[in-house]
Amino acid sequence: MSIQLYNTLTRKKEEFVPLEEGKVKMYVCGPTVYNYIHIGNARPAIVFDTVRRYLEYRGYEVKYVSNFTDVDDKLIRAANQLGEDVPTIADRFIEAYFEDVTSLGCRHADIHPRVMENMDIIIEFIRQLIEKGYAYESEGDVYFHTRGFEEYGKLSHQSIDELRVGARIEVGDKKQDDLDFALWKAAKEGEIYWESPWGPGRPGWHIECSAMAKKYLGDTIDIHAGGQDLTFPHHENEIAQSEALTGKPFARYWMHNGYINIDNEKMSKSLGNFVLVHDIIKQHNPQVLRLFMLSVHYRNPINYSQELLESTKSAFERLQTSYQNLKHRREASTNLTDHNQEWLDKISALHDEFIEAMDDDFNTAKAISVLFDLSKSANYYLLEKNTAAEVIDAFTGQFEELFAVLGLKLDKEEMLDEEIDALIEKRNQARKERNFQLSDQIRDQLKDMNIILEDTPQGTRWKRG
Ligand SMILES: [Zn+2]
């Protein structure tokens, strides 16, 4: 069985075959670092982290590159407003980005290139495009001559003539054609700038990804990914720049994740409904947000609301509880019970279903429904009076393996001090009432959370183990 993925370029599901056997070169467009990320930025981070994990699980060696746009109009505006310089703001929000996405279970990319650190290769890329006749200088700016690249529009499936409608060249414009886009922008008074053959300035947005993907992954990459909103013009422009320069295909598979709506409305500045990850994870376990994002297929739109997040939270706890119960039962299980093979076959069939779902264009929604089936089966098995260690191990093994593929953790969140105090209070009450079954159960529950109790004449003390 092989992995099938939907390629935006061909609008078809295709068998995934990387250029070099066993190796995957993957580039994911990263955020512009001028603010905390909102959940619209969290979705590609989670989705493509999961794609990467799954590819690795299936035996590929993945080289994963994701950039930071650390110079652009938004950063310059933020710098002016806050009275700080652009690099200071970029550094701060790169740190905040790592904090947010790490809590969401996303691993760091192998390389996180920054524009400021790659100015030389960006300038060189532009210089070569001019030399080849694909770009021109105009009063300190440099533009890409879009009409010069015949296949322009192939990713977003639009012809150049369709694209003309809507965009009109205006008086005073420095470009020769309405479809041309900036590769280099001359610095305005007081703006951060770098020296270039065309005078002081900074790169346009699109060129950084072409230049950095080439530097870190080579002329042709396997998977290029990002949010659906990047398809046009950003990714279309990346293709034009890269293929004009090298004459080779830029990316073989293009993956795009769908939009996020907030309470059934589009997330937008004017509606003021931007939800920052930074704020959500103050109130919710970030793992719940990850499960929530993965419970919808990545190409479908997702609707975010507090209620949906709450129901995901209880669903997540059900999965974790099954796993905890299996672990509790392990010691009391024996080697000799009937029907073991039946259960082992059942578990292995669920494993295959999970793989089949993920092989089919990374269908995490289906894969997660298999996790719930696994949990239901486990709960059913635990109703048996005698359980076999072999079966319990097979269940817990699958839980651990499949949760890791999705970047989810099985351990419950650390308990807050007041929750621990409340449980100890409940246990003392149970002891007073000589309900030793309940008091032992609470002690075990705390032990699982790594809380160690010590009964002293002065009362019960606890510490974290
Ligand atoms: Zn990009």
Side-chain angles (χ1 to χ4, degrees):
M1 274 298 287
S2 61
I3 297 172
Q4 305 281 315
L5 64 78
Y6 182 87
N7 188 352
T8 310
L9 191 63
T10 57
R11 287 174 157 170
K12 278 193 308 227
K13 262 190 214 171
E14 296 176 22
E15 182 182 351
F16 177 64
V17 184
L19 207 55
E20 202 183 324
E21 206 187 325
K23 295 193 172 163
V24 181
K25 295 175 183 177
M26 186 165 175
Y27 186 96
V28 181
C29 292
T32 302
V33 283
Y34 72 108
N35 198 347
Y36 293 105
I37 58 165
H38 54 71
I39 56 168
N41 308 118
R43 191 172 191 194
I46 293 170
V47 162
F48 299 116
D49 175 74
T50 307
V51 168
R52 173 201 202 180
R53 283 170 187 272
Y54 187 66
L55 291 168
E56 287 178 349
Y57 174 74
R58 296 288 261 114
Y60 292 103
E61 190 185 306
V62 182
K63 187 165 180 191
Y64 190 96
V65 177
S66 187
N67 65 306
F68 285 123
T69 301
D70 59 357
V71 195
D72 92 326
D73 289 338
K74 290 178 199 141
L75 271 140
I76 291 173
R77 227 176 293 133
N80 288 340
Q81 278 167 4
L82 299 168
E84 291 179 291
D85 60 13
V86 170
T88 306
I89 292 176
D91 286 348
R92 184 190 315 144
F93 289 112
I94 284 174
E95 200 178 311
Y97 173 84
F98 280 134
E99 228 172 82
D100 286 347
V101 300
T102 304
S103 75
L104 294 171
C106 302
R107 285 159 50 198
H108 280 214
D110 295 302
I111 303 159
H112 281 286
R114 296 175 58 166
V115 178
M116 285 191 207
E117 291 164 359
N118 282 288
M119 213 46 89
D120 51 339
I121 57 145
I122 292 172
I123 289 171
E124 179 54 21
F125 202 111
I126 299 172
R127 201 193 58 73
Q128 288 184 29
L129 281 175
I130 297 177
E131 200 175 86
K132 292 200 157 195
Y134 283 105
Y136 57 92
E137 191 260 318
S138 172
E139 298 170 44
D141 287 356
V142 179
Y143 293 95
F144 187 86
H145 171 44
T146 304
R147 247 160 235 289
F149 181 72
E150 276 183 17
E151 293 181 88
Y152 193 81
K154 67 178 175 182
L155 180 68
S156 49
H157 305 276
Q158 315 174 73
S159 72
I160 286 197
D161 293 322
E162 280 167 355
L163 287 167
R164 281 214 81 160
V165 186
R168 287 279 170 272
I169 198 150
E170 282 169 28
V171 184
D173 243 339
K174 296 195 236 169
K175 31 181 172 172
Q176 294 168 355
D177 187 283
D178 49 10
L179 288 178
D180 296 352
F181 57 89
L183 300 173
W184 188 261
K185 295 176 173 179
K188 296 194 191 86
E189 180 92 32
E191 280 182 359
I192 188 169
Y193 67 88
W194 284 260
E195 289 299 342
S196 80
W198 321 287
R202 63 192 158 87
W205 171 34
H206 316 295
I207 192 70
E208 66 187 65
C209 291
S210 284
M212 299 194 292
K214 185 178 192 307
K215 175 178 172 183
Y216 294 104
L217 296 171
D219 290 349
T220 301
I221 60 182
D222 293 301
I223 298 176
H224 195 312
Q228 190 184 319
D229 52 324
L230 298 183
T231 314
F232 184 84
H234 184 56
H235 287 162
E236 199 71 73
N237 292 352
E238 283 188 34
I239 292 178
Q241 295 160 161
S242 293
E243 299 191 359
L245 186 81
T246 67
K248 297 177 200 158
F250 176 41
R252 303 175 62 238
Y253 303 93
W254 286 87
M255 293 180 72
H256 293 97
N257 66 271
Y259 293 113
I260 294 197
N261 292 320
I262 310 283
D263 295 321
N264 294 311
E265 282 194 275
K266 208 180 154 199
M267 189 165 50
S268 76
K269 275 248 158 67
S270 55
L271 288 168
N273 60 354
F274 270 83
V275 180
L276 299 180
V277 171
H278 191 69
D279 293 329
I280 302 177
I281 63 181
K282 278 184 200 153
Q283 297 161 4
H284 299 277
N285 174 356
Q287 286 274 307
V288 172
L289 186 60
R290 186 176 179 107
L291 179 66
F292 172 75
M293 292 277 193
L294 294 178
S295 60
V296 174
H297 187 272
Y298 75 91
R299 283 193 286 123
N300 290 340
I302 195 167
N303 184 44
Y304 171 88
S305 73
Q306 283 287 346
E307 295 81 58
L308 288 170
L309 205 59
E310 285 299 336
S311 66
T312 307
K313 182 178 178 232
S314 29
F316 192 33
E317 282 168 358
R318 283 205 302 278
L319 292 173
Q320 289 173 321
T321 303
S322 294
Y323 175 72
Q324 300 288 345
N325 291 344
L326 286 164
K327 292 217 319 192
H328 278 172
R329 185 65 75 84
R330 179 61 173 77
E331 250 175 74
S333 301
T334 63
N335 293 326
L336 300 164
T337 33
D338 298 330
H339 309 300
N340 286 6
Q341 197 53 48
E342 254 168 63
W343 283 102
L344 295 176
D345 289 348
K346 170 83 187 154
I347 295 164
S348 139
L350 287 168
H351 169 89
D352 293 349
E353 262 182 61
F354 181 96
I355 302 300
E356 206 179 300
M358 290 298 283
D359 274 358
D360 181 15
D361 197 24
F362 307 95
N363 192 343
T364 54
K366 179 84 191 297
I368 286 169
S369 77
V370 177
L371 289 184
F372 283 101
D373 290 342
L374 183 70
S375 150
K376 272 182 229 157
S377 290
N379 295 346
Y380 195 64
Y381 183 64
L382 288 171
L383 293 176
E384 297 207 354
K385 216 168 116 213
N386 298 314
T387 47
E390 193 187 9
V391 176
I392 299 281
D393 286 347
F395 268 120
T396 49
Q398 278 313 305
F399 265 101
E400 284 159 11
E401 184 174 324
L402 304 180
F403 262 65
V405 169
L406 299 180
L408 293 166
K409 291 187 192 126
L410 278 159
D411 297 322
K412 292 196 173 165
E413 274 290 88
E414 235 183 36
M415 283 180 122
L416 303 172
D417 286 5
E418 56 252 49
E419 291 177 286
I420 297 168
D421 289 337
L423 275 173
I424 290 176
E425 180 65 43
K426 198 172 154 193
R427 175 170 169 268
N428 287 341
Q429 193 58 38
R431 273 155 46 109
K432 244 184 242 164
E433 292 161 8
R434 305 191 65 78
N435 183 350
F436 296 115
Q437 198 189 341
L438 180 61
S439 77
D440 286 351
Q441 196 187 317
I442 294 171
R443 175 183 273 271
D444 288 346
Q445 186 187 346
L446 287 166
K447 199 173 145 206
D448 278 347
M449 311 295 302
N450 243 348
I451 309 296
I452 296 154
L453 300 186
E454 197 188 335
D455 292 314
T456 71
Q458 288 76 35
T460 307
R461 288 202 212 126
W462 62 268
K463 60 175 190 203
R464 292 182 198 270

